Amino acid sequence: MALVLWGITMAVLGQDTLKVMTYNVRHCAGMDLVLDYDRTAAVIARQQPDVVALQELDSMTGRSKHRYQLGELARSTQYYPVFGAAIDYDGGKYGVGILTRETPLNTKRIPLPGDEPRVLLVVELQDYVMACTHLDLEEEPRWASAPLIVKEAQRWQKPFILAGDWNDTPGSELLQEMTKHFTILSDSEASYPADEPQDCLDYVALFKGHSVETLESTVIDEPEASDHRPVVVRMLLLK
């Protein structure tokens, strides 16, 4: 009987477990400054996440030889791509993206403030909503972005997961404000710079009002493929 119960429990966990990655890929240029889509895609593929939030992506820029970077990664990893442009750059666009195993039900792009304009990319999936952002380097626009993000999260009845490079560290005033509304699921291990991490800048969080059990949070030991290391959180969304 115990074995039967264990099997049922594992089946439920397998069905409800969600693996989320956030990764600032620096337009797929590694610490060696070499542009290498295969290397970036391999980092994602090794972890086999269900959904990936990506920051610093080029789309059809001169710098990336006029290639759609998110599409390159999607083809290599067999994920569905959703791109959110933040600015015009070098003949193309520059922004964030989400890769997901399932076809999105809806997508939305919300402009955020910054000397270099930012964006919140929102993707509705069957059981949850995934959002990706890359907040400004300056404190004032980061603070101005926070209520816009919270306002969007409040619109959804489904669990709202926010992931990305927030350009701020644990214990900062911004993080204290964000934790009034979001539960940080990733731990505070440093993720930047990739070769010798000193700062935690990359986060996975859940909007409060929904329950989740964090099963594992890991900063992946990847010192070369970008200037950030990827963060992976495995969670159990509770009904």
Side-chain angles (χ1 to χ4, degrees):
M1 184 64 175
L3 286 175
V4 172
L5 290 175
W6 180 87
I8 293 173
T9 301
M10 291 305 292
V12 171
L13 288 174
Q15 184 180 5
D16 294 341
T17 298
L18 181 67
K19 193 172 186 180
V20 176
M21 172 187 278
T22 184
Y23 195 13
N24 182 325
V25 296
R26 192 168 70 165
H27 63 277
C28 300
M31 294 297 287
D32 55 7
L33 302 182
V34 173
L35 198 69
D36 190 337
Y37 301 113
D38 291 338
R39 177 170 58 182
T40 304
V43 174
I44 297 169
R46 279 195 292 268
Q47 298 304 315
Q48 291 294 297
D50 296 294
V51 64
V52 190
L54 298 169
Q55 304 86 52
E56 296 196 16
L57 286 165
D58 282 355
S59 177
M60 309 305 289
T61 68
R63 175 173 65 181
S64 61
K65 303 187 187 303
H66 304 286
R67 295 168 75 176
Y68 176 36
Q69 291 194 326
L70 188 62
E72 298 283 345
L73 299 177
R75 279 190 289 273
S76 295
T77 57
Q78 299 299 299
Y79 286 80
Y80 188 99
V82 181
F83 180 70
I87 60 171
D88 295 328
Y89 180 77
D90 195 17
K93 303 287 185 179
Y94 176 75
V96 301
I98 292 175
L99 295 174
T100 176
R101 290 196 182 280
E102 60 179 285
T103 303
L105 302 177
N106 290 288
T107 67
K108 186 177 184 180
R109 175 191 168 278
I110 300 169
L112 297 178
D115 291 335
E116 174 190 304
R118 306 287 168 146
V119 67
L120 177 70
L121 180 63
V122 181
V123 174
E124 182 188 6
L125 300 161
Q126 187 66 40
D127 296 320
Y128 63 98
V129 176
M130 185 71 193
C132 173
T133 195
H134 183 193
L135 296 181
D136 199 84
L137 290 168
E138 299 299 322
E139 184 175 17
E140 184 175 344
R142 289 201 301 274
W143 269 94
S145 296
L148 300 177
I149 295 170
V150 170
K151 182 179 179 180
E152 176 61 22
Q154 289 172 332
R155 294 183 59 251
W156 295 95
Q157 298 300 314
K158 296 179 180 181
F160 185 96
I161 299 168
L162 174 67
D165 177 357
W166 296 4
N167 269 320
D168 219 330
T169 55
S172 69
E173 291 185 2
L174 176 69
L175 265 291
Q176 292 177 40
E177 176 64 23
M178 291 296 280
T179 55
K180 294 178 183 178
H181 308 280
F182 287 88
T183 301
I184 307 297
L185 306 179
S186 50
D187 63 27
S188 57
E189 183 180 351
S191 55
Y192 176 85
D195 54 349
E196 295 182 4
Q198 301 294 320
D199 295 311
C200 173
L201 302 178
D202 304 281
Y203 301 89
V204 176
L206 179 74
F207 191 65
K208 291 185 176 179
H210 292 275
S211 299
V212 67
E213 179 183 350
T214 302
L215 303 176
E216 184 179 17
S217 175
T218 309
V219 174
I220 304 302
D221 184 10
E222 175 44 67
E224 298 179 353
S226 175
D227 61 342
H228 286 243
R229 294 189 176 194
V231 175
V232 175
V233 173
R234 191 166 59 89
M235 66 188 76
L236 183 66
L237 293 176
L238 304 176
K239 305 295 185 181

